[in-house]
Amino acid sequence: MENVFVIIGRVLILYAVIFIIFRLMGKREIGELSVLDLVVFIMMGEMAVIAIEQHEDPLAHTIIPMVTLMLIQLGLAVISLKSRKFRRLMDGKPTLIINKGKVDEKEMKKIRYNFDDLLMQLRQKDITNIGDVEFAILETSGELSVIKKDKKTKTGSYTIPLILNGKIQTEHLDEVNKDESWLRKELERRGHQDIEQISFCSFQDGKFFIDYDDLKS
């Protein structure tokens, strides 16, 4: 009977510890979890199970590795915020499945994504006609983001970042058929001289959206 109370006590303590750790790691929906998040959560779950089953072992032997994992995850999150290359390494990058109404089968093959997957995710967005879609982007979380064609113009658009954290995104400039020289001239014309101070810049439907990094100003 004593063992039963010990097990119940360990379950309650571990539940509280894991709950606190998950809150400290930040709020994210299940569909938004990265591969790294899933690895950490699975490892913590396994540790908790072992700690409950082997109740003779001190709880500190489980809690210390859990806290260590949390610190590693928080450290990687800070690096991910500062480095886009690291983010892409950890999370991958979104894939453009439908581009201007045309399905990109080459990209689908690269990520082992088929038409059944595409149609299923479109139905989940209440889209029954693939011809209504201007852009479909498979996000790093596995969710499909869809931009429908405008009923009047029969076209659509989506936000593409041209500057992120003070760095010009040349591959995105190629997507909008512009170059770095054009971007710099347009920004200077609008009074934006220091690109390194810009945290986010996009050009959509003929208009710029520019946001400055308050921490650098």
Side-chain angles (χ1 to χ4, degrees):
M1 191 67 180
E2 184 180 345
N3 286 345
V4 173
F5 288 115
V6 170
I7 291 170
I8 292 172
R10 290 171 84 93
V11 168
L12 293 173
I13 291 169
L14 288 169
Y15 177 84
V17 169
I18 291 174
F19 178 79
I20 292 168
I21 287 174
F22 283 7
R23 288 302 300 268
L24 290 173
M25 285 170 61
K27 295 180 179 179
R28 275 185 134 181
E29 294 181 9
I30 294 298
E32 296 176 345
L33 295 179
S34 68
V35 174
L36 200 59
D37 291 328
L38 289 173
V39 169
V40 169
F41 293 169
I42 290 169
M43 287 181 70
M44 285 189 180
E46 289 292 327
M47 288 177 188
V49 170
I50 292 170
I52 293 167
E53 290 178 346
Q54 300 178 4
H55 50 267
E56 298 87 1
D57 198 35
L59 262 180
H61 291 178
T62 299
I63 294 174
I64 290 172
M66 282 184 173
V67 173
T68 302
L69 274 175
M70 180 194 73
L71 293 174
I72 291 170
Q73 180 73 348
L74 290 175
L76 292 175
V78 171
I79 296 171
S80 180
L81 282 172
K82 295 176 181 277
S83 171
R84 191 161 185 256
K85 287 184 179 178
F86 184 79
R87 269 202 309 277
R88 285 199 165 181
L89 179 65
M90 291 291 102
D91 299 335
K93 63 178 184 177
T95 303
L96 197 58
I97 301 295
I98 299 177
N99 186 6
K100 297 179 180 176
K102 175 87 170 69
V103 178
D104 193 333
E105 294 181 49
K106 187 183 290 185
E107 286 297 319
M108 288 174 65
K109 286 178 182 176
K110 281 183 186 177
I111 58 173
R112 295 177 292 281
Y113 188 80
N114 57 53
F115 275 99
D116 288 334
D117 297 326
L118 175 60
L119 294 174
M120 177 189 70
Q121 290 193 286
L122 288 176
R123 287 194 297 271
Q124 289 173 346
K125 300 282 184 182
D126 294 325
I127 296 172
T128 56
N129 185 356
I130 195 171
D132 293 337
V133 179
E134 182 72 357
F135 295 100
I137 305 151
L138 189 65
E139 308 292 355
T140 56
S141 63
E143 185 177 353
L144 191 71
S145 298
V146 178
I147 294 92
K148 296 176 74 173
K149 292 178 180 177
D150 186 274
K151 289 183 178 179
K152 292 181 180 178
T153 63
K154 301 296 182 182
T155 60
S157 64
Y158 67 102
T159 301
I160 299 177
L162 303 183
I163 297 175
L164 281 175
N165 301 321
K167 294 180 180 178
I168 294 174
Q169 308 299 307
T170 52
E171 71 273 24
H172 291 168
L173 279 169
D174 292 338
E175 287 185 39
V176 295
N177 298 316
K178 305 292 183 183
D179 57 23
E180 188 174 327
S181 174
W182 169 85
L183 178 61
R184 289 183 182 276
K185 285 178 182 176
E186 289 295 324
L187 290 177
E188 286 175 7
R189 196 158 62 86
R190 289 166 172 77
H192 306 287
Q193 305 293 333
D194 192 353
I195 286 177
E196 290 185 0
Q197 295 292 327
I198 298 174
S199 60
F200 183 90
C201 169
S202 65
F203 181 72
Q204 185 176 5
D205 299 329
K207 295 181 180 178
F208 277 95
F209 174 84
I210 299 168
D211 186 63
Y212 278 87
D213 189 341
D214 294 333
L215 297 176
K216 291 183 180 179
S217 58

